[in-house]
Amino acid sequence: MLKDLTKEELRQEALRLRAEYDKTRELGLKLDISRGKPSKEQLALSMDLLNVLDSSSDMISEDGFDTRNYGCLTGIAEGKRLMADLMDVRPDQVIVFDGSSLNIMYDTVQKCMAHGVMGHTPWQKLPEVKFLCPVPGYDRHFAVTEAFGVTMLNIPMKEDGPDMDLVEKYVSEDPAVKGIWCVPKYGNPAGTVYSDEVVRRFANLKPAAPDFRIFWDNAYNVHHLDFEKQRQILNILDEAEKAGNPDIVYVFGSFSKITFPGSSVSGLASSKANLEDIAGNMKYQTIGHNKIMQLMHARYFPDREAILAHMKKHAAIMKPKFDAVEEILSKELGGLGIADWSKPDGGYFISFNTMEGCAKTVVAMMKEAGVTMTGAGATYPYHKDPEDRNIRIAPSFATLEEVREAIRIFTVVVRLASVEKLLSE
Ligand code: PMP
């Protein structure tokens, strides 16, 4: 343990680490482990998708729509089946959208603000709207609610999901609490998978606000890192129906990190009543989404097995990078008592915690050494990590060698920042 060293030993260690850090700075590196983007190698896996259609293709959907033309607001039959396969729901529970689920989430919050939920008062007419934000969480979720002036309340994440005692308390007691952001499987950033009990407790919430909704962003449903250890979660729509709460949840998903981010197909799944409410507004917004992209994806992925077979190829590229991070972190930082980190079975991120008050320093020192990381605090609403501890590591985009180099430097920086912190105490 570092804290067991004497002041003199710490001073020697600081000198040694500082010299190592300075040597690294002189290398003029340019590495980036900040955003969860698929690598070029992963994008290449989907190039065949572009060969699914050509000028001789039959462009008519199974339900008879000419996909080249206007119309079909909620998606062609095979587009709904495709999204249902991805999200583990039924095709009749789906509206198909274009290439970004974040876009659907933004539009959904905007619709709640401007038009309200199923005839309830539009949120923008209320004195205050609050959202629960499990932390650490996905920065862009928090950015959406921040953009609409929603008050965001931190909910600590546990091993198996958000602190449900706190969620139940807020949701049942405060009618200003209108929503919660959830990433139920392989969450961003810790890779957390919600337990059956957590999913059931969500489905059984008794909100004080009749227009409270769970924003269930199942972005990583099929993004297993190890296919021997595939994790499953309970189906929230089924559980909500069983609990007599069928309208409590909006489920989101997309093919972004399966085929081409931003240029694929995404979807929203929910109860019949919610879908009608949402489509009722959508009809003013668009005449229909990109049905050609739906057709291409649906023919490329005829069933759930085809999606999983494709995800296995992603895992073969991603897993060695996650393994490298784990190997280097545990070798260089294990047992020192200065950090902990997540060991996800899927998704795109590793969540790393420094000693209290060190995360900002570490990210700034990494930048100086030529390694870009997600900003410290980004995993919290308003970019405010109350303990300044959490850092998100995104190993997907860089090459394996770059990941190794970046994490090696990271361990030097974390040790140096920790030693200097202990010396200052
Ligand atoms: N949800 C989560 C939890 C994510 O991590 C990401 C991408 N980083 C997205 C949504 C974005 O998805 P899309 O490309 O479909 O907008």
Side-chain angles (χ1 to χ4, degrees):
M1 298 279 261
L2 260 194
K3 71 173 172 38
D4 298 333
L5 297 185
T6 63
K7 282 267 168 191
E8 188 43 39
E9 284 169 330
L10 283 173
R11 262 192 289 275
Q12 290 303 324
E13 182 70 353
L15 281 176
R16 188 186 70 72
L17 290 164
R18 189 45 79 179
E20 198 175 340
Y21 174 65
D22 287 343
K23 244 196 301 173
T24 302
R25 272 201 306 184
E26 283 157 20
L27 297 176
L29 295 172
K30 242 182 137 215
L31 303 173
D32 191 337
I33 49 168
S34 66
R35 300 252 37 122
K37 295 201 285 193
S39 62
K40 285 201 182 87
E41 216 184 337
Q42 287 177 268
L43 298 176
L45 296 175
S46 302
M47 287 305 284
D48 281 353
L49 174 70
L50 303 178
N51 300 328
V52 168
L53 297 177
D54 64 22
S55 58
S56 64
S57 297
D58 169 11
M59 300 297 284
I60 307 300
S61 72
E62 288 167 13
D63 46 352
F65 285 97
D66 186 335
T67 59
R68 299 166 302 178
N69 216 333
Y70 275 136
C72 190
L73 187 65
T74 58
I76 57 175
E78 52 268 66
K80 288 184 184 176
R81 194 172 60 227
L82 169 85
M83 288 313 302
D85 283 342
L86 175 67
M87 298 198 281
D88 292 327
V89 298
R90 296 192 313 266
D92 64 288
Q93 292 173 312
V94 173
I95 297 178
V96 191
F97 289 75
D98 287 336
S100 161
S101 59
L102 192 69
N103 197 160
I104 318 176
M105 293 179 236
Y106 181 97
D107 278 352
T108 307
V109 173
Q110 184 163 54
K111 181 216 163 267
C112 297
M113 282 281 160
H115 304 292
V117 176
M118 288 186 185
H120 291 282
T121 309
W123 294 354
Q124 67 188 12
K125 294 207 170 138
L126 301 171
E128 188 176 26
V129 171
K130 299 179 189 166
F131 251 65
L132 305 184
C133 299
V135 289
Y138 178 35
D139 54 351
R140 291 182 191 269
H141 282 162
F142 306 152
V144 169
T145 25
E146 186 173 4
F148 288 101
V150 169
T151 304
M152 295 182 279
L153 307 171
N154 292 357
I155 303 286
M157 281 294 283
K158 297 179 159 187
E159 286 287 300
D160 68 340
D163 178 340
M164 291 309 293
D165 290 341
L166 208 53
V167 170
E168 284 164 355
K169 186 170 161 50
Y170 275 123
V171 171
S172 61
E173 289 179 5
D174 187 353
V177 171
K178 298 293 187 191
I180 179 167
W181 289 116
C182 290
V183 185
K185 190 159 165 189
Y186 305 141
N188 179 350
T192 307
V193 180
Y194 288 13
S195 65
D196 291 355
E197 188 201 337
V198 164
V199 177
R200 284 202 189 97
R201 285 176 79 174
F202 267 112
N204 283 279
L205 284 173
K206 303 272 171 287
D211 51 352
F212 168 87
R213 292 293 181 271
I214 303 164
F215 285 63
W216 195 258
D217 179 5
N218 203 1
Y220 297 111
N221 194 31
V222 293
H223 299 63
H224 314 288
L225 281 169
D226 182 347
F227 274 70
E228 305 297 307
K229 275 204 234 160
Q230 289 182 45
R231 307 282 300 273
Q232 304 301 346
I233 53 169
L234 279 185
N235 182 314
I236 184 75
L237 288 175
D238 290 350
E239 293 304 315
E241 217 166 281
K242 274 192 236 163
N245 250 344
D247 303 327
I248 200 169
V249 60
Y250 300 135
V251 182
F252 305 92
S254 91
F255 275 84
S256 270
K257 289 175 178 173
I258 299 174
T259 60
F260 303 127
S263 305
S264 66
V265 184
S266 63
L268 180 151
S270 198
S271 67
K272 188 167 181 285
N274 277 331
L275 293 187
E276 279 171 13
D277 186 42
I278 285 171
N281 273 101
M282 260 170 62
K283 67 176 188 252
Y284 303 111
Q285 191 177 21
T286 178
I287 307 170
H289 293 108
N290 185 340
K291 296 183 290 299
I292 294 180
M293 209 31 115
Q294 292 176 36
L295 193 65
M296 278 168 82
H297 275 76
R299 288 184 185 170
Y300 193 62
F301 297 113
D303 52 32
R304 193 173 153 71
E305 278 58 49
I307 299 174
L308 288 174
H310 195 72
M311 293 316 291
K312 259 192 192 162
K313 298 183 198 161
H314 280 283
I317 299 170
M318 294 272 280
K319 181 139 192 317
K321 297 181 186 178
F322 278 74
D323 286 348
V325 175
E326 169 56 27
E327 177 206 312
I328 298 168
L329 290 181
S330 50
K331 178 158 168 271
E332 300 296 331
L333 301 177
L336 294 182
I338 55 172
D340 60 77
W341 57 91
S342 62
K343 298 167 189 63
D345 292 327
Y348 261 67
F349 305 99
I350 291 156
S351 177
F352 186 95
N353 293 310
T354 63
M355 288 171 70
E356 197 169 333
C358 289
K360 276 206 184 94
T361 309
V362 167
V363 171
M365 287 174 77
M366 289 297 284
K367 180 118 207 125
E368 257 190 71
V371 187
T372 306
M373 302 191 78
T374 313
T379 50
Y380 283 75
Y382 313 108
H383 293 258
K384 280 194 199 133
D385 174 354
E387 297 183 327
D388 187 26
R389 293 185 66 205
N390 190 249
I391 297 173
R392 186 181 79 168
I393 299 174
S396 59
F397 189 68
T399 64
L400 180 56
E401 275 324 298
E402 288 170 341
V403 169
R404 286 191 157 278
E405 180 69 350
I407 298 301
R408 188 195 63 76
I409 299 166
F410 182 66
T411 60
V412 173
V413 170
V414 169
R415 287 168 73 157
L416 180 55
S418 309
V419 168
E420 290 185 342
K421 159 116 178 133
L422 288 170
L423 277 170
S424 74
E425 278 170 357

